[in-house]
Amino acid sequence: QVTRLPGAMSPAEAIDRLPITEAEAEKTHGVTVVADCTASHSHPLLLSAISRGFRVASANKKPFAETPIEVFSALTAGGGCRFESTAGACTPFVAAALRLAHASDPVTRLQGTMSGTLGFVMSQLQLASTTPPPFSTVLQAAIDGGYTEPDCREDLSGADVARKALILAR
């Protein structure tokens, strides 16, 4: 069963809608996973869910990159929070890197494309045989294609790449 919380709801309101504990939720629904598919500062909700024993899955980079390392550690300790879709285009890259780190096999270098949006835009501009299309046209194609963050300025400013880099570094 999926319960979708209204988009305009604050993290505090969402916390109030959670069952008291995971054990309580299991009595009627089975395992409860709190999924964060927002682009908001939702770490209070995620921390509350984890403290109550819920599992968390997040595609939202902000709780993992725009908070102090202590918040990142609290979110990721214990294995009840999955955040692979914050970096690596939902590949198991984050989990693999974490397994290497836990095995004392340090990751010393990362290589890859950090922004699908910027890659798409630049390749479209570069592939033009004569005069490149207007930047606004290419950007709109990226938005329409679902490549961008909800606010494309996050991609164009480099903020999205910076968040991914910090998550991977942590």
Side-chain angles (χ1 to χ4, degrees):
Q1 176 181 351
V2 173
T3 302
R4 193 176 296 260
L5 300 176
M9 184 178 291
S10 73
E13 292 169 316
I15 290 167
D16 291 340
R17 294 228 181 157
L18 290 175
I20 294 172
T21 65
E22 169 63 9
E24 178 184 292
E26 283 182 12
K27 291 177 186 174
T28 56
H29 304 295
V31 174
T32 301
V33 176
V34 174
D36 180 7
C37 300
T38 69
S40 66
H41 296 280
S42 59
H43 63 279
L45 171 63
L46 302 182
L47 289 168
S48 177
I50 290 168
S51 73
R52 295 180 188 191
F54 295 100
R55 290 164 184 83
V56 169
S58 181
N60 182 3
K61 295 172 208 61
K62 290 182 180 180
F64 303 93
E66 293 187 0
T67 57
I69 188 69
E70 294 81 12
V71 174
F72 178 86
S73 297
L75 288 169
T76 59
C81 180
R82 303 302 298 260
F83 58 103
E84 280 85 352
S85 55
T86 61
C90 299
T91 63
F93 176 79
V94 171
L98 287 172
R99 281 194 299 273
L100 286 170
H102 291 296
S104 298
D105 194 359
V107 177
T108 58
R109 186 172 127 192
L110 301 173
Q111 184 174 337
T113 301
M114 295 295 287
S115 173
T117 301
L118 296 178
F120 175 83
V121 168
M122 295 305 141
S123 67
Q124 293 301 306
L125 293 172
Q126 186 179 24
L127 291 174
S129 58
T130 55
T131 305
F135 180 80
S136 59
T137 302
V138 174
L139 179 59
Q140 190 60 54
I143 293 168
D144 294 344
Y147 292 106
T148 66
E149 292 296 309
D151 180 349
C152 66
R153 294 174 295 185
E154 298 286 326
D155 295 297
L156 299 176
S157 70
D160 187 56
V161 169
R163 287 185 194 110
K164 290 175 192 175
L166 181 55
I167 290 167
L168 294 173
R170 286 179 165 180

